[in-house]
Amino acid sequence: MKLLEIQAETILIPLKQPFTTALRSVDRIENVCVRITTDTEHTGFGGAAPTAIITGETVPSILGALKHIHDSLSGMNIEDAEIIFQKLNACMIGNHSAKAAVDMAVHDLLGKQYGLPLFRLLGGTAGPLETDMTVSMDSPEKMASDSLEKARQGFGILKIKVGKDPALDISRIMAVRKAVGPGIKLRIDANQGWKPKEAVVVINRLSKENADIELIEQPVSAKDYAGMRFVRDRVDIPVIADESVFSATDVLRLIEMQAADGINIKLMKCGGIFNALKIAALAESAGLTCMVGSMMESSLSVTAAAHLACSRSVIGAYDLDAPLFCGINPVRGGIHYRASTITIPDGHGLGISSILS
Ligand code: MG
């Protein structure tokens, strides 16, 4: 099967409710939908989400990168997957989200070519997966009522966004715990918002108050591996690296510095499933846990992330709620949600039959 053309179109997706973290607040997103045409009847689908403040990528940069990638890969055989993925990594520096869209479309085509759902092709099992549900940063009262509403909708794991103000963040988290009671798992994501010493004070205070926190994601600046280690050494809640980890090389350094207990793998950071599997293998070898998450993405690219999540047992936590924030679903097929439970499609490849345009 020959790769003929990489086509791209952008789609504007209004969010059902604003999404607010320590880094940004958005009420709509723009995603790039990718189609790879071949010399067969099969078309491969993929998606990219520009998150400039995390990956440095914008819609124009992704469209430009896709043109360059097209010129590098056009005419190659899809079955030569290893060669394609190595070339995709090497054809330009950075541009991980653009590369992720192409990587998932090639994986989609491999599944179609060999007649298997992608998670099966990768050796995985069908799930289902239980995603957490994100609670945007707001006043303690609003976050408590939002959390209670989400718990009542059937979400048993909530991801609480904090990181702007350490004292207020403690109030936010305690208000949420009080509102939802003891039966709901709470994950905390500070999105780099604290200084290392602040993070230690906040996290230890939460432990002392019996807030019962499952994990804390990215407490300090992405570049501050020493700060991550500082925090990890002084708290008893697992510290998960998100913005700190883009590549397998980042994971190696993190392992060397013993700077995290686990990793949040996102296709938009690492450049696709090919690289994500290397990260998962390294993490497993070093005894780290893995979560699969996403940026603010539609179900097009989150379906690929869900296949990845089903493919390796070291991936034990799922942060794949972004499509639930989206006011429109740009694909037919793909993953299906019933409250927090994600069902993986059993169609070949990603299990997406078309992109609606
Ligand atoms: Mg995060």
Side-chain angles (χ1 to χ4, degrees):
M1 189 194 290
K2 266 198 179 7
L3 187 159
L4 295 185
E5 204 180 340
I6 298 174
Q7 303 167 346
E9 63 179 294
T10 58
I11 178 166
L12 190 66
I13 301 175
L15 299 184
K16 291 177 189 165
Q17 49 185 288
F19 179 75
T20 306
T21 74
L23 291 173
R24 61 183 185 141
S25 185
V26 287
D27 61 8
R28 72 188 71 182
I29 54 168
E30 218 171 351
N31 277 194
V32 177
C33 302
V34 165
R35 282 185 185 83
I36 295 185
T37 61
T38 65
D39 60 351
T40 71
E41 77 276 21
H42 296 308
T43 300
F45 300 120
T51 314
I53 199 158
I54 296 172
T55 61
E57 294 176 85
T58 61
V59 167
S61 83
I62 288 170
L63 295 175
L66 288 170
K67 279 201 182 87
H68 181 81
I69 294 167
H70 163 83
D71 293 344
S72 303
L73 303 187
S74 175
M76 292 183 75
N77 285 318
I78 294 294
E79 295 86 343
D80 295 331
E82 167 74 14
I83 301 173
I84 289 189
F85 294 132
Q86 295 290 2
K87 196 160 184 187
L88 177 60
N89 275 338
C91 71
M92 65 195 308
I93 299 288
N95 294 284
H96 298 116
S97 305
K99 288 174 179 173
V102 173
D103 167 286
M104 65 184 79
V106 172
H107 276 97
D108 187 25
L109 287 167
L110 286 168
K112 286 168 174 164
Q113 174 75 338
Y114 297 123
L116 289 170
L118 179 55
F119 71 87
R120 285 278 178 227
L121 190 72
L122 298 173
T125 51
L129 308 173
E130 185 182 6
T131 182
D132 58 30
M133 178 47 139
T134 302
V135 177
S136 279
M137 193 161 58
D138 209 312
S139 66
E141 299 74 27
K142 177 76 165 68
M143 290 179 75
S145 64
D146 285 352
S147 299
L148 189 58
E149 190 189 327
K150 286 170 180 184
R152 283 180 176 151
Q153 288 167 1
F155 292 94
I157 312 172
L158 300 178
K159 181 157 160 179
I160 311 300
K161 291 288 190 180
V162 293
K164 278 273 188 180
D165 173 338
L168 187 57
D169 290 337
I170 294 170
S171 306
R172 288 173 165 134
I173 296 161
M174 293 313 298
V176 168
R177 173 52 82 200
K178 195 171 166 213
V180 299
I184 302 289
K185 272 193 194 174
L186 297 185
R187 297 173 179 163
I188 305 299
D189 191 352
N191 285 111
Q192 314 178 52
W194 298 324
K195 301 276 180 257
K197 286 182 181 174
E198 290 173 343
V200 171
V201 169
V202 172
I203 298 166
N204 286 337
R205 176 74 183 279
L206 294 172
S207 293
K208 199 171 157 215
E209 304 273 344
N210 297 316
D212 191 17
I213 305 303
E214 182 196 14
L215 56 86
I216 170 86
E217 210 173 291
Q218 201 63 51
V220 303
S221 167
K223 298 267 177 270
D224 189 4
Y225 280 36
M228 291 285 282
R229 168 74 192 262
F230 179 91
V231 176
R232 182 177 179 237
D233 280 349
R234 288 163 179 79
V235 303
D236 59 6
I237 297 173
V239 174
I240 308 299
D242 180 0
E243 292 96 314
S244 283
V245 172
F246 275 57
S247 66
T249 314
D250 292 338
V251 180
L252 275 176
R253 202 175 134 230
L254 202 74
I255 291 168
E256 239 167 48
M257 292 186 64
Q258 300 181 41
D261 297 287
I263 292 160
N264 188 344
I265 303 173
K266 293 179 179 167
L267 296 175
M268 295 303 131
K269 291 186 299 174
C270 71
I273 293 165
F274 180 74
N275 294 334
L277 292 172
K278 291 189 217 172
I279 290 175
L282 277 174
E284 185 174 19
S285 306
L288 271 61
T289 61
C290 288
M291 168 191 279
V292 166
S294 79
M295 303 297 180
M296 227 350 121
E297 301 168 35
S298 79
S299 84
L300 170 54
S301 46
V302 174
T303 292
H307 280 278
L308 166 70
C310 288
S311 76
R312 292 294 181 275
S313 53
V314 69
I315 300 169
Y318 317 104
D319 174 27
L320 298 173
D321 58 337
L324 297 171
F325 284 78
C326 294
I328 49 172
N329 176 6
V331 301
R332 194 166 282 128
I335 46 174
H336 175 77
Y337 291 83
R338 192 191 300 148
S340 62
T341 303
I342 299 177
T343 311
I344 310 296
D346 55 10
H348 299 166
L350 294 176
I352 288 170
S353 54
S354 60
I355 298 175
L356 312 173
S357 50

